[in-house]
């Protein structure tokens, strides 16, 4: 699926909402709601009245890493984006070139054997492309002066280096560097092994503690899941590659209970969709699960669990649009993007959001007096 859409540069959200004026918070963004081809315009703070008692929001608790760090290949400067840590201790990385304005531009990957010097005495050696379909991301092994074994060196050395020298990944449509706290959502929890997301699970960014409390007071529930998202990159639109995920047993039971009742399961972000759909069987029952997922949600595959989706506005690329179409239908995607452009909504991780809800109640056999 493709859309002939060009997002004007002035519609890129260049700074977070709370930095656009005095008295603003993260929730000072707009919300476009789609139900099929029907579209309505709202402020994000209206979300509690757009949902109803018994609905469930599935949220990603993955914290964002300071995943960008400066390095050198010989005398040439590069920026390394650390994407995903493998079970064997290697990291999937993307090498980029500083553009002189504080951001970076794409760089050809490889070749195998390339050595990258990083701060803190850490060294990277590129070993092989992550995928046979492209050479943007490479598996690389890290070593350093504190080496006590390959896996331990890669885990402790890289994560320690990122904590000390890293910064959040930033693309050219943003105005300036931001502290890591700006890229953490209210749902982010530290991982036991220090893992996290290379790029923020941004659909959840507008939530504040105040708004979460209001949603809970109105009977909306939350189910935490984890999916550590890798580097997306602004220039290419590749299919999603495998990512680590976890759906706790308690969240699985809650999702199943909501599906058996009157509520709707609404994923906050495409990462939450990928996680929960990866834990669902063909019967639609969600079971506690963790590991790696290579699931790509398409209209042909469909969704087994998710009834709705809250997502940011991003460049209209294939895999993202296919997931949106799988959840809401083609009419919701086409009409939603048309209205977002007409209404001059703001794009990207600091921008506005799109709520896609089903046209009809997804569980009519369970419907009670509080159904629309």
């Amino acid at each position: 699926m493709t859309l002939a859409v060009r997002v004007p540069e002035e519609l890129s959200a260049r700074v977070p909402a709370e930095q656009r004026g005095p008295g603003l918070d993260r929730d000072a963004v707009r919300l476009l709601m789609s139900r099929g081809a029907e579209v309505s315009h709202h402020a994000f703070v209206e979300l509690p009245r757009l949902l109803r008692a018994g609905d469930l929001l599935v949220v990603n608790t993955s914290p964002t890493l300071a995943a960008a760090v400066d390095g050198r290949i010989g005398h040439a400067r590069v920026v390394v984006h650390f994407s995903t840590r493998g079970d064997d201790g290697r990291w999937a990385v993307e090498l980029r070139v500083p553009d002189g304005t504080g951001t970076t531009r794409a760089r050809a990957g490889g070749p195998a054997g390339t050595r990258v010097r990083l701060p803190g005495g850490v060294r990277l050696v590129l070993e092989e492309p992550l995928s046979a379909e492209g050479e943007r991301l490479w598996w690389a092994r890290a070593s350093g002066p504190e080496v006590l074994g390959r896996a331990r060196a890669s885990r402790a050395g890289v994560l320690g280096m990122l904590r000390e020298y890293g910064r959040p990944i930033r693309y050219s449509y943003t105005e300036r560097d931001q502290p890591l706290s700006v890229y953490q959502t209210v749902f982010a929890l530290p991982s036991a092994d220090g893992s996290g997301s290379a790029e923020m699970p941004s659909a959840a960014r507008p939530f504040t503690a105040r708004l979460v409390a209001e949603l809970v007071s109105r009977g909306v529930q939350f189910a935490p899941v984890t999916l550590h998202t890798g580097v997306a990159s602004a220039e290419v639109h590749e299919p999603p590659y495998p990512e680590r995920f976890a759906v706790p047993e308690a969240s699985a039971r809650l999702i199943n209970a909501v599906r058996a009742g009157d509520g709707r399961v609404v994923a906050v972000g495409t990462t939450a969709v990928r996680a929960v759909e990866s834990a669902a069987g063909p019967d639609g029952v969600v079971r506690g699960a963790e590991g790696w997922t290579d699931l790509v949600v398409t209209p042909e595959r469909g969704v087994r669990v998710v009834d709705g989706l809250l997502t940011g506005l991003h460049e209209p690329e294939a895999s993202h649009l296919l997931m949106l179409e799988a959840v809401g239908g083609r009419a919701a995607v086409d009409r939603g993007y048309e209205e977002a452009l007409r209404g001059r909504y703001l794009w990207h991780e600091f921008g506005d959001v799109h709520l896609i809800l089903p046209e009809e109640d997804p569980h009519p056999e369970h419907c009670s007096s509080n159904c629309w």
Side-chain angles (χ1 to χ4, degrees), residues 96-321:
R96 296 176 68 88
V97 178
D99 64 2
T101 66
T103 59
T104 60
R105 60 179 183 270
R107 173 194 183 278
T114 296
R115 297 177 179 272
V116 187
R117 303 192 310 277
L118 299 173
V122 175
R123 301 289 187 268
L124 276 185
V125 178
L126 303 191
E127 293 189 348
E128 59 182 336
L130 183 67
S131 168
E133 299 175 1
E135 295 194 353
R136 180 175 65 93
L137 289 165
W138 280 70
W139 284 116
R141 194 167 302 274
S143 62
E146 77 293 353
V147 172
L148 295 173
R150 286 184 174 181
R152 181 174 173 184
S154 183
R155 183 176 305 174
V158 168
L159 290 172
M161 177 199 61
L162 294 180
R163 283 191 295 269
E164 186 168 355
Y165 300 102
R167 60 187 179 274
I169 289 174
R170 174 190 160 208
Y171 294 115
S172 59
Y173 50 77
T174 56
E175 185 174 288
R176 57 181 177 269
D177 284 347
Q178 299 283 349
L180 184 59
S181 59
V182 166
Y183 290 88
Q184 303 295 4
T185 74
V186 72
F187 304 111
L189 295 172
S191 301
D193 63 357
S195 296
S197 289
E199 297 184 10
M200 172 177 55
S202 56
R205 191 185 189 279
F207 284 87
T208 61
R210 180 183 62 249
L211 189 67
V212 170
E214 184 179 351
L215 285 161
V216 171
S217 73
R218 288 174 174 260
V220 176
Q221 303 179 85
F222 290 83
V225 300
T226 302
L227 186 135
H228 296 314
T229 184
V231 172
S233 189
E235 298 87 7
V236 296
H237 303 310
E238 301 166 344
Y241 49 85
E243 294 168 316
R244 293 169 61 199
F245 83 104
V247 175
E249 185 61 43
S251 292
R253 289 197 300 268
L254 183 54
I255 293 167
N256 293 332
V258 168
R259 285 183 52 77
D262 298 340
R264 299 167 296 185
V265 177
V266 180
V268 178
T270 56
T271 61
V273 176
R274 196 181 200 196
V276 74
E277 291 290 331
S278 296
D283 57 359
V285 175
V286 180
R287 298 168 177 84
E290 62 179 310
W292 292 85
T293 177
D294 59 1
L295 176 65
V296 178
V297 177
T298 64
E300 292 72 29
R301 188 267 187 190
V303 287
R304 298 168 178 170
V305 178
V306 172
D307 301 310
L309 171 63
L310 180 72
T311 181
L313 294 166
H314 302 284
E315 295 291 348
E317 47 92 2
S319 63
H320 180 78
L321 292 175

